[in-house]
Amino acid sequence: MPLDPAPRRRCAVVGLGARARLHTQALTGPHADRAELVAFCDVNAHRMAVHNAWIAPAGAVPA
């Protein structure tokens, strides 16, 4: 009997500094089959806008 696949993990990125781009791109790209980016946040509105622009091509809805 085959094992059930692991459910997709739901992930949030808090703080959108330099390393956050790596996590955001991984969660919306090569690891999208195993994890779902459900939220990200930062006190800097410009960083939020930049990340919204990065995830838009992946079909994600901007925050």
Side-chain angles (χ1 to χ4, degrees), residues 21 32 34 50:
R21 181 177 184 177
R34 291 175 269 160
V50 169

Side-chain angles (χ1 to χ4, degrees), residues 2-33:
L3 296 174
D4 290 333
R8 284 176 66 197
R9 297 206 180 241
R10 296 170 46 91
C11 302
V13 178
V14 178
L16 302 177
R19 289 192 181 112
R21 181 177 184 177
L22 298 173
H23 301 300
T24 302
Q25 288 178 331
L27 293 169
T28 58
H31 299 291
D33 61 329

